[in-house]
Amino acid sequence: MSRPLDKRLPAFRTHGLTKVYGEGPSAVHALRGVSVEIPAGELVVLLGPSGSGKSTLLNILGGLDQPSEGRVHFFDQDLTAKDEDSLTRYRRHHVGFVFQFYNLMPSLTARENVELVTEIAENPMNAAEALSIVGLGKRLDHFPSELSGGEQQRVAIARAIAKQPTVLFCDEPTGALDSETGRAVLRVLQDVNRKLDTTVMIVTHAAATAAMAHRIIRFADGDIRDIEQNPQVKEAEEIQW
Amino acid sequence: MKPLDSKLGRDLWRVKGQALAIVLVIAFGVMMMVMMDGLVNSLGETKRTYYERYRLADLFAPVKRSPRHVLDEIVELPGISAVQGRINGAALISLPDQAVPVRAQAVSLPEFGSPRLNDFYLASGRPLNPSHRDEILLLEAFAHAHNLQPGDSLSATMNGARRRFHIVGLAQAPEFLYTTAPGELVPDDARFAVIWMNEEALAAAFDMDGAFNEALISLARDARPQAVIDSLDRLLAPYGATGAYGLEDHLSDRFISEEIAGLRVSSRTVPPIFLSVAAFLLYIVISRMVQAEREQIGLLKAFGYTSLEVGLHYFKFVLVIALTGALLGCALGMLAGRGLSGFYQLYYKFPFLLFRVDPAAFVTGFTVSVLTASAGGVLVLRRVFALTPADAMRPPTPPNFSQTISFGPGLRKWLDQPTRMVLRNMIRQPLRGLLAILGIALGMALSVAMLSLMSAFDRTLDLSFGVLDRSDVTVTFVEPLGDKTLFALKRMKGVIEVEPFRTVAAVMHNGRQHYRGAVTALTEKPRLFRALDSSLQAIPLPENGIVLSTALAGELDLKAGQKMILDVREGRRPTLEVSVAGLADTLMGAPAYMQLETLNRLMKEPNRVSGAYLRIDSSQGQQLYRRLKDMPVVAGVSLQQDSRRAFKKVMDTGAGAMRYVMALIAAVITFGIVYNSARIAFAERARDLASLRVIGLTRTETGFVLLGELGLITLLALPLGAALGYYFSLAVAAGFSTDLYRVPTEFSPASYGTAALAVLLAATLSGALVKRDINRLDLVSALKTRE
Ligand SMILES: Nc1ncnc2c1ncn2[C@@H]1O[C@H](COP(=O)(O)OP(=O)(O)OP(=O)(O)O)[C@@H](O)[C@H]1O
Ligand SMILES: [Mg+2]
């Protein structure tokens, strides 16, 4: 069991985060010194043009990648100082991730894909329950190749929320969904945020989604252009796009 | 079931074709190991048990003639547990269908009961009736070679008198597993017979009433053989003892032990080569299969699975394949080993077979398979683990792709798009390409080695019977004669050339090493039968000294110029010190050569010859053989074509027969490797290929992208395979060489050509199989899931 987190601290504090891919003239500066605080228990929406570094930031905060420079704190823990083993433990116990490309295991059914995560989580919900939350209660035993793109995306969401994580990262969770299903998914994310006190970060191109966020971060060219607090948080059902 | 285990099962099912191909390759590698081990152990064990059950003597002590009461003195000697006296005599059997008489050995059996030592196994018919002097038991192998059965009769000449005998039974005995007429190199069932007779009858024929001319001895448990031999020789000296010798110097045992030893050497050298090649393939394929899982490994890591958990999952995956292969290999090896042992049982004429496999063979097979497969897995996992999960989940991208290969406008004109893709794929992953090339090259090298071995055996035949021995007929006399007989031979119609020789039985010593064999004395510059050096040049026999075959020199640990002791066991039996004048290169046996005049001078028996090599006019052959047969001084006539046939038979059915089985396994492994390379390339590219089809490339163009690469790899593998094959063939030749039989290691272009063709054929076939799958590629599902 991991030690309890001090919920008075911000969930994330970054300082001067940079990420450079490659080197020399062909180097890509995906992040150019990002410093930001994400308070615990908030639902945060990241907006920004394609290639601006949103996924890169999420990957680093989620412990999937290491920054080239700078520091990341998760509550009182310095993620950048962690070794491989403790990063693994961090991901295992605290992080839920919905990947931009779903990343389902093709050889596992929807239920098994979720179980893959609940299997090693400390306080998971039932895999079938998680899938019925995203409206796939009847497709438990289908393989990814038998599901539509949107359905695969929902399996990925079920997989992320099933472990009841401390922080939930969603990289374009509604990208492949119609507005009806999209709203249902956002409802789920909002519920997770409220009921479990999970810190939720959502990357999206649908600017309307920002209406349900506590905080909106706008990205451009590898850095934060502005951060906006939203005093009027809307319910997921009220989002239009 | 845990989700990871479901994944394991389904992933294995998905790659079943590929997995099966790997399983087969590793299975054949392991099978070779288990099979050879089972064969060698079974033969050794069966031989030992056969000897024991039929009480084969430990020592043989031939004498000229000794009264039976001496046997009581022998038993009293220290170190002896049992003794049996018997009479041994030479006979010539005339068979109606044979132009040349067949030499035989007649052995006495006690009137009552079975012999205390050197018992026989009655394969058919009934035992001898003590009151019938004309009954015989005949060696079964000889009887079969001439279609003789109990109830038939035959006539034989013993001690100058011709008599008819009734065959009442067919027998086998451990001392006659191999039968060779004196002076012949190669055993031949058809050309040497053994007859068992009542002691009284044989004694009458050879004037041995109340006497024996061979004592068989079994040693007490803690006896020192050499000490017993010395005391026997002292005791029997007054009775014309020619020197007692141990079982290991007995012709039949020497031959069979040599063969089993040869098989043992091959079983220790050749299967490891096969297993290593299979293991190498396993390593490559497993590492590529795990490599293909890179994104999923990254995903598992992203969820928080520890390296250990992920590693264990893939270890299971690898283990299933490796263990299935090893298990199948063991089962196949047991089956094939048992089958082969049965075949060898017939060949060695064992009346029964004890099949034994050393558990160590299983352990080795399993360990090698599991270790190499795991190594393949671990190496890739380590590389993937070194990446962050975010990196691992991205498909590997070529970082400097645009810089490494840009086809200028000139090249573009010549290389169409698919060709450029083939070249890019190769250059993008040079290590993968190199490993694939090495894999196929190793497969080809196996085939080269086995084919070279085949042609080496043929080469041995040609050298032995076309170059070393150029005679048509070898005539042996009943005893060493004056050279007058040579003139008689020379005058016979059909004889073109006569070349005398003399062989004397001798024990050669150098310090503690000894070898019981014979010295062949030839004329100064022989033309028909020659000693040759390694470049096939005739070695002139020196006036003084002896020329040893390299095999014999090796056995005695001698070099040219050194001195050795020659203990002649004939005539006045001198013990001579001679110097080694030179080394002759022989492929079979361990002969020693001297000049005829020198030997006769040392023996103080001038102008004696024990036989002659003849070159004849083949149109006169039949009449000539008949006239030779009628000459009373002629003990045997052997035709070179018969010897050649017999030798070929030994090569094809004895230890050499193994090469056919090994060649087959080599071919299967070679094919397996090529097919695997094609399969894995297809598996890795399936999604890319589907994309190509989707954007409108035809099946042929798509096929070319994959098969072009396979073709290129195969072509590049050929020269490397030839080079590796050369070294493999050296190793395999060494593995098949024994003390007495050396496999020549000559470069045989045909073997390389055939092996290259086999690889190309395998590539074509694999290509066709994969092409079928490219045609069937399910475009939708290949593109739908992004892992
Ligand atoms: N592995 C990599 N190697 C090189 N460059 C990369 C790599 N991953 C991302 N980049 C580059 O880094 C920059 C930021 O990428 P990122 O994926 O974070 O963008 P994004 O904001 O998520 O875009 P999108 O909305 O299209 O998903 C881009 O220019 C991208 O090309
Ligand atoms: Mg992105």
Side-chain angles (χ1 to χ4, degrees):
Chain A
M1 237 2 205
S2 47
R3 123 188 98 88
L5 299 162
D6 182 355
K7 294 289 168 98
R8 287 165 310 182
L9 292 174
F12 291 104
R13 262 180 307 134
T14 75
H15 183 78
L17 272 192
T18 69
K19 181 73 184 180
V20 185
Y21 291 109
E23 47 195 69
S26 63
V28 177
H29 293 262
L31 296 179
R32 303 171 185 268
V34 175
S35 301
V36 69
E37 276 191 20
I38 312 287
E42 281 200 358
L43 194 152
V44 178
V45 164
L46 265 84
L47 297 173
S50 176
S52 56
K54 307 179 296 291
S55 296
T56 305
L57 178 66
L58 243 54
N59 284 343
I60 292 172
L61 296 183
L64 300 182
D65 211 346
Q66 291 284 2
S68 306
E69 278 173 61
R71 308 233 133 235
V72 182
H73 282 272
F74 169 68
F75 293 100
D76 58 344
Q77 304 171 18
D78 185 353
L79 290 187
T80 33
K82 280 181 187 286
D83 62 6
E84 171 59 27
D85 281 350
S86 30
L87 263 188
T88 299
R89 247 172 290 134
Y90 162 66
R91 293 194 298 267
R92 185 176 190 135
H93 298 310
H94 298 296
V95 180
F97 223 117
V98 179
F99 301 103
Q100 189 170 3
F101 303 107
Y102 329 147
N103 292 75
L104 300 180
M105 289 272 174
S107 54
L108 295 182
T109 62
R111 186 211 302 266
E112 287 164 343
N113 261 290
V114 178
E115 281 171 351
L116 199 58
V117 172
T118 57
E119 170 90 19
I120 56 170
E122 279 175 342
N123 181 29
M125 58 174 104
N126 183 288
E129 188 190 333
L131 280 163
S132 56
I133 290 178
V134 296
L136 286 177
K138 294 210 171 75
R139 308 293 300 275
L140 297 180
D141 296 317
H142 285 78
F143 286 96
S145 61
E146 297 165 337
L147 298 172
S148 75
E151 285 162 345
Q152 290 183 47
Q153 194 163 34
R154 281 185 278 156
V155 175
I157 290 163
R159 188 173 61 182
I161 60 171
K163 79 194 286 185
Q164 315 212 37
T166 318
V167 287
L168 178 58
F169 300 101
C170 305
D171 204 342
E172 299 190 34
T174 53
L177 306 180
D178 61 276
S179 51
E180 184 77 15
T181 327
R183 270 192 292 276
V185 162
L186 291 181
R187 171 84 262 152
V188 172
L189 297 180
Q190 200 161 42
D191 283 351
V192 169
N193 170 250
R194 287 186 184 157
K195 293 182 188 150
L196 303 173
D197 208 17
T198 298
T199 309
V200 179
M201 292 185 73
I202 302 171
V203 168
T204 182
H205 286 290
T209 312
M212 64 182 269
H214 299 109
R215 197 175 292 261
I216 301 143
I217 300 177
R218 290 205 176 70
F219 242 77
D221 201 16
D223 207 350
I224 294 170
R225 213 182 57 207
D226 65 62
I227 301 178
E228 179 190 334
Q229 303 234 26
N230 180 13
Q232 294 275 293
V233 173
K234 285 193 181 170
E235 292 301 306
E237 287 79 3
E238 303 170 55
I239 309 286
Q240 297 291 336
W241 79 86
Chain B
M1 193 161 37
K2 297 198 169 186
L4 270 186
D5 291 330
S6 310
K7 168 171 161 19
L8 181 70
R10 298 208 188 101
D11 285 348
L12 279 168
W13 182 247
R14 179 171 52 84
V15 297
K16 55 187 176 299
Q18 169 97 46
L20 191 71
I22 309 171
V23 160
L24 283 183
V25 170
I26 191 76
F28 272 86
V30 173
M31 163 186 166
M32 177 78 126
M33 185 111 196
V34 172
M35 174 186 84
M36 289 297 284
D37 182 83
L39 178 65
V40 171
N41 278 324
S42 305
L43 292 180
E45 191 65 7
T46 304
K47 183 191 94 164
R48 204 183 55 74
T49 313
Y50 187 29
Y51 281 11
E52 207 173 274
R53 270 191 213 168
Y54 291 88
R55 302 184 296 281
L56 185 60
D58 298 313
L59 300 179
F60 296 75
V63 293
K64 203 141 189 99
R65 186 180 202 281
S66 166
R68 295 201 69 88
H69 66 76
V70 176
L71 291 172
D72 300 334
E73 292 174 49
I74 295 179
V75 178
E76 297 302 314
L77 290 176
I80 287 179
S81 81
V83 64
Q84 166 87 45
R86 71 175 181 185
I87 303 164
N88 238 321
L92 271 186
I93 298 178
S94 311
L95 293 170
D97 62 328
Q98 294 289 302
V100 279
V102 180
R103 280 180 278 182
Q105 179 180 358
V107 180
S108 72
L109 287 178
E111 306 284 286
F112 299 102
S114 52
R116 217 165 312 151
L117 294 175
N118 288 26
D119 200 358
F120 61 91
Y121 161 73
L122 190 64
S124 61
R126 61 164 175 83
L128 298 175
N129 183 334
S131 55
H132 290 152
R133 291 183 152 212
D134 57 352
E135 286 185 0
I136 57 167
L137 301 177
L138 188 62
L139 187 67
E140 191 190 25
F142 176 81
H144 284 165
H146 293 284
N147 251 324
L148 293 166
Q149 267 133 27
D152 293 345
S153 54
L154 55 76
S155 73
T157 311
M158 286 180 200
N159 210 10
R162 190 169 176 135
R163 288 176 57 192
R164 275 200 90 65
F165 293 99
H166 297 292
I167 305 167
V168 298
L170 304 184
Q172 297 177 6
E175 61 180 315
F176 299 119
L177 287 171
Y178 269 106
T179 49
T180 321
E184 299 260 334
L185 258 183
V186 184
D188 187 350
D189 288 345
R191 292 190 303 147
F192 190 73
V194 177
I195 294 171
W196 284 268
M197 293 172 62
N198 279 320
E199 190 162 290
E200 217 174 308
L202 200 55
F206 285 97
D207 260 343
M208 285 280 173
D209 266 330
F212 66 90
N213 65 6
E214 186 179 34
L216 307 172
I217 283 103
S218 91
L219 290 174
R221 205 168 279 283
D222 48 2
R224 280 183 35 237
Q226 194 50 50
V228 179
I229 287 176
D230 292 342
S231 56
L232 271 174
D233 284 350
R234 270 194 303 277
L235 177 65
L236 294 174
Y239 309 106
T242 49
Y245 57 92
L247 181 58
E248 68 281 0
D249 283 328
H250 188 277
L251 216 58
S252 169
D253 179 72
R254 189 193 283 174
F255 206 101
I256 192 166
S257 301
E258 218 18 83
E259 285 242 317
I260 294 177
L263 276 173
R264 189 176 298 279
V265 174
S266 325
S267 83
R268 299 231 165 107
T269 50
V270 181
I273 300 179
F274 279 61
L275 192 58
S276 322
V277 171
F280 180 71
L281 175 85
L282 184 66
Y283 169 81
I284 297 179
V285 175
I286 288 288
S287 59
R288 283 174 73 166
M289 284 174 104
V290 175
Q291 180 72 44
E293 292 273 305
R294 176 181 143 146
E295 293 165 40
Q296 305 201 21
I297 296 169
L299 185 59
L300 287 173
K301 292 280 289 170
F303 290 153
Y305 278 88
T306 63
S307 301
L308 190 69
E309 286 163 333
V310 178
L312 223 54
H313 171 65
Y314 284 97
F315 181 63
K316 280 193 221 162
F317 177 83
V318 164
L319 209 59
V320 169
I321 294 177
L323 284 184
T324 312
L327 213 62
L328 186 66
C330 287
L332 285 177
M334 292 279 281
L335 276 177
R338 190 179 283 276
L340 267 178
S341 301
F343 170 78
Y344 276 89
Q345 177 196 352
L346 290 181
Y347 173 66
Y348 289 139
K349 300 161 218 134
F350 291 137
F352 56 87
L353 178 75
L354 301 173
F355 187 71
R356 294 279 147 79
V357 181
D358 187 352
F362 295 130
V363 175
T364 313
F366 272 93
T367 316
V368 169
S369 328
V370 171
L371 280 188
T372 47
S374 317
V378 163
L379 215 80
V380 176
L381 284 177
R382 278 187 49 141
R383 250 186 289 134
V384 177
F385 287 167
L387 302 172
T388 63
D391 274 329
M393 283 162 68
R394 261 189 297 270
T397 38
N400 295 321
F401 172 71
S402 52
Q403 282 156 8
T404 41
I405 183 156
S406 53
F407 299 98
L411 267 176
R412 263 169 202 273
K413 229 168 48 191
W414 294 105
L415 301 171
D416 57 1
Q417 184 60 32
T419 310
R420 271 181 265 151
M421 283 168 81
V422 167
L423 291 179
R424 272 202 199 103
N425 282 337
M426 290 284 294
I427 293 163
R428 200 156 72 164
Q429 287 163 320
L431 186 67
R432 172 176 298 189
L434 281 179
L435 286 177
I437 289 171
L438 185 58
I440 296 181
L442 283 172
M444 170 169 160
L446 270 191
S447 292
V448 166
M450 294 325 295
L451 288 163
S452 295
L453 182 67
M454 301 261 199
S455 74
F457 277 85
D458 291 341
R459 171 101 184 123
T460 300
L461 266 184
D462 291 343
L463 275 183
S464 304
F465 294 104
V467 182
L468 271 164
D469 179 0
R470 299 189 290 191
S471 72
D472 300 314
V473 178
T474 306
V475 178
T476 14
F477 303 142
V478 281
E479 56 187 350
L481 298 172
D483 46 14
K484 242 186 359 210
T485 324
L486 291 178
F487 295 113
L489 283 177
K490 222 172 265 177
R491 277 199 305 273
M492 287 173 90
K493 200 167 165 217
V495 174
I496 300 171
E497 203 170 344
V498 175
E499 191 172 284
F501 69 87
R502 180 166 189 192
T503 49
V504 292
V507 181
M508 291 158 249
H509 297 274
N510 174 37
R512 294 163 54 89
Q513 325 281 354
H514 82 279
Y515 184 80
R516 210 183 155 81
V519 175
T520 307
L522 305 167
T523 53
E524 190 187 345
K525 281 211 179 105
R527 291 168 39 78
L528 297 183
F529 191 98
R530 305 171 301 164
L532 301 178
D533 65 15
S534 52
S535 50
L536 301 184
Q537 294 305 305
I539 300 175
L541 295 175
E543 208 181 308
N544 287 306
I546 191 166
V547 171
L548 299 183
S549 56
T550 41
L552 183 52
E555 195 105 316
L556 293 176
D557 212 2
L558 279 169
K559 285 192 204 46
Q562 290 180 316
K563 294 219 181 289
M564 60 173 273
I565 302 293
L566 187 62
D567 191 357
V568 180
R569 295 303 172 100
E570 283 184 31
R572 48 171 211 99
R573 309 185 59 209
T575 297
L576 309 165
E577 197 190 45
V578 289
S579 64
V580 180
L583 297 183
D585 208 43
T586 51
L587 297 172
M588 289 186 298
Y593 304 101
M594 280 178 91
Q595 214 188 93
L596 186 55
E597 257 174 57
T598 313
L599 180 72
N600 280 341
R601 193 182 64 234
L602 292 170
M603 303 267 306
K604 300 216 165 77
E605 293 175 349
N607 297 336
R608 291 287 159 139
V609 297
S610 46
Y613 302 112
L614 308 185
R615 198 152 62 80
I616 62 166
D617 173 358
S618 56
S619 65
Q620 306 280 331
Q622 291 304 316
Q623 283 135 302
L624 182 64
Y625 305 149
R626 213 163 315 125
R627 258 173 278 140
L628 286 172
K629 190 166 139 181
D630 289 338
M631 288 174 75
V633 294
V634 169
V637 176
S638 65
L639 311 185
Q640 207 214 42
Q641 65 199 57
D642 287 346
S643 308
R644 189 185 178 115
R645 186 182 37 71
F647 181 66
K648 184 149 174 52
K649 193 172 153 216
V650 168
M651 287 296 128
D652 280 351
T653 46
M658 189 47 77
R659 69 193 194 273
Y660 292 112
V661 180
M662 289 183 172
L664 188 73
I665 295 179
V668 171
I669 291 185
T670 306
F671 178 80
I673 290 179
V674 177
Y675 178 67
N676 260 300
S677 307
R679 235 5 309 156
I680 191 106
F682 174 71
E684 288 167 353
R685 296 268 156 77
R687 216 192 307 159
D688 297 353
L689 297 175
S691 316
L692 290 180
R693 295 271 291 111
V694 169
I695 61 171
L697 266 73
T698 64
R699 286 179 174 162
T700 314
E701 286 163 336
T702 313
F704 179 79
V705 172
L706 185 67
L707 300 181
E709 184 182 338
L710 181 65
L712 196 59
I713 284 179
T714 308
L715 288 180
L716 289 173
L718 293 181
L720 184 61
L724 287 173
Y726 177 72
Y727 292 102
F728 274 27
S729 65
L730 291 188
V732 168
F736 270 84
S737 297
T738 64
D739 291 346
L740 297 185
Y741 176 77
R742 196 168 56 73
V743 177
T745 51
E746 228 116 337
F747 177 78
S748 73
S751 309
Y752 291 78
T754 312
L757 269 181
V759 168
L760 288 176
L761 197 74
T764 313
L765 199 62
S766 307
L769 286 172
V770 170
K771 181 70 176 45
R772 225 181 34 167
D773 286 346
I774 294 177
N775 291 347
R776 284 190 197 149
L777 211 59
D778 180 352
L779 300 189
V780 178
S781 77
L783 292 178
K784 194 163 180 182
T785 43
R786 247 221 68 126
E787 285 153 21

